[in-house]
Amino acid sequence: MGRDGAAGWMRIDLHTHSTASDGTQAPAEVVASAREAGVDVLALTDHDTTQGWAPAADAATRLGVALVRGIEVSCSDHGRSVHLLGYLPDPDHPALAAELRRARESRVGRLRRIVELMAADGLPVTYAQVQAQVPPGATEGRPHIADALVASGTVATRDEAFRRWLGNDSPYYVRHYAPDPVHAVELVLEAGGVPVYAHPFGRDLSTTATDRRIEAMAAAGLAGLEVHHRDHDADAVARGLALAERLSLLVTGSSDYHGAGKENRLGEHTTDPAVLAEIEARSSGVVPVLR
Ligand code: AMP
Ligand code: FE
Ligand code: FE
Ligand code: ZN
């Protein structure tokens, strides 16, 4: 939580998901939940899409929550998953928009292939059940398969489905196209956005960031590291703070809220107002929606 001078404490949560990707609440509902949770500034950062921006902006104006429009770009570093947050980019920047479209399109058909592999192994899931879980126009992803398994009573939670069958090291895992993280940093910058590496040291050892990867992204203009995140233990936080110091990167903290899809609660980690001010100052794609 950061101190906002005379205005008192400001709660700034810069990483959330809606039904435009794999969150379980519509964009306007995420904004309403943020307000209830006492979040003053919210970023909506759906995977590979800006589809949720317009309804979120309407709700933000109506409910008096400041909105930072963002994305979470799925990237692949030689097959290893990397997530890059991009704040306030121009959604119509041709190169960025084309890359996001390409990534979304390459996800189409992927869930069917994963489900076919699972069904061939005797798991009780069909593609029709999965399709029923994908909201119209949403960036589809493995959480929608998890939702089908929850709906049929096969597992209790998304997390159980991931732990049993949907992890990156599962035999059922199927890749989709995703840009290299250094290229994604360049694209976000070209679009006037501010790139921040999301949960760089997540619990999954196969995707946790090496110093080399972060250095390469920093050399390309990476602005910050999402250091304060539920997936980071104390060692990961210490490592992130040291790297941010050495490479002159901003430090953010956020919830990565997915509605009922994950335990993550709005505002459970927050970003300092001075860091948000720096993100705004460095952006030129779109302006924040203010109260
Ligand atoms: P995909 O986009 O298909 O690669 O799926 C990745 C998404 O799955 C991430 O954005 C997470 O939100 C979600 N995810 C990964 N692990 C878990 C988990 N253990 N529980 C719930 N959601 C998860
Ligand atoms: Fe997600
Ligand atoms: Fe992520
Ligand atoms: Zn996320």
Side-chain angles (χ1 to χ4, degrees):
M1 202 174 301
R3 188 147 176 95
D4 175 36
W9 294 95
M10 248 220 289
R11 298 187 91 192
I12 302 169
D13 186 341
L14 296 182
H15 183 167
T16 68
H17 296 268
S18 73
T19 49
S21 64
D22 59 358
T24 62
Q25 290 183 308
E29 291 171 343
V30 175
V31 176
S33 295
R35 199 198 140 95
E36 274 166 40
V39 169
D40 305 291
V41 184
L42 171 78
L44 183 70
T45 53
D46 277 305
H47 300 288
D48 304 324
T49 183
T50 59
Q51 192 196 223
W53 283 15
D58 284 350
T61 307
R62 199 160 21 87
L63 299 173
V65 175
L67 179 72
V68 172
R69 291 170 284 182
I71 47 174
E72 187 175 16
V73 185
S74 310
C75 308
S76 172
D77 181 0
H78 300 92
R80 290 169 197 271
S81 168
V82 174
H83 285 180
L84 182 74
L85 294 159
Y87 295 114
L88 304 167
D90 173 1
D92 299 321
H93 182 273
L96 178 63
E99 196 71 358
L100 296 179
R101 194 177 321 113
R102 182 174 173 196
R104 283 196 308 272
E105 284 171 358
S106 93
R107 287 171 174 271
V108 174
R110 167 182 180 246
L111 296 191
R112 184 194 287 277
R113 290 201 293 282
I114 295 175
V115 165
E116 282 170 359
L117 291 172
M118 294 172 73
D121 233 12
L123 291 167
V125 61
T126 67
Y127 185 59
Q129 288 174 318
V130 173
Q131 270 179 307
Q133 298 297 327
V134 182
T139 301
E140 54 182 65
R142 286 172 284 166
H144 300 116
I145 299 177
D147 288 346
L149 293 162
V150 172
S152 66
T154 307
V155 293
T157 62
R158 278 187 182 180
D159 184 53
E160 184 184 349
F162 269 86
R163 279 187 281 108
R164 293 176 71 173
W165 304 302
L166 295 176
N168 292 351
D169 49 5
S170 163
Y172 310 126
Y173 184 71
V174 175
R175 284 186 196 178
H176 63 82
Y177 169 77
D180 173 88
V182 166
H183 183 51
V185 165
E186 292 164 353
L187 283 173
V188 168
L189 289 170
E190 277 172 35
V194 180
V196 172
Y197 192 159
H199 45 73
F201 313 115
R203 284 168 294 190
D204 182 350
L205 288 181
S206 73
T207 58
T208 199
T210 58
D211 284 9
R212 244 183 98 164
R213 182 193 293 156
I214 294 176
E215 285 159 4
M217 291 166 74
L222 181 71
L225 296 178
E226 186 182 56
V227 173
H228 303 291
H229 184 285
R230 151 183 307 246
D231 290 355
H232 289 169
D233 61 17
D235 287 348
V237 170
R239 189 176 159 209
L241 293 175
L243 272 164
E245 173 82 24
R246 175 162 73 78
L247 299 171
S248 299
L249 298 171
L250 301 171
V251 169
T252 69
S254 298
S255 67
D256 204 353
Y257 179 69
H258 282 69
K262 280 187 174 178
E263 300 278 300
N264 310 32
R265 292 301 95 195
L266 282 161
E268 68 176 26
H269 291 287
T270 56
T271 294
D272 196 274
V275 171
L276 174 63
E278 190 59 34
I279 289 172
E280 287 189 41
R282 293 190 198 180
S283 69
S284 59
V286 287
V287 294
V289 177
L290 297 170
R291 283 165 284 176

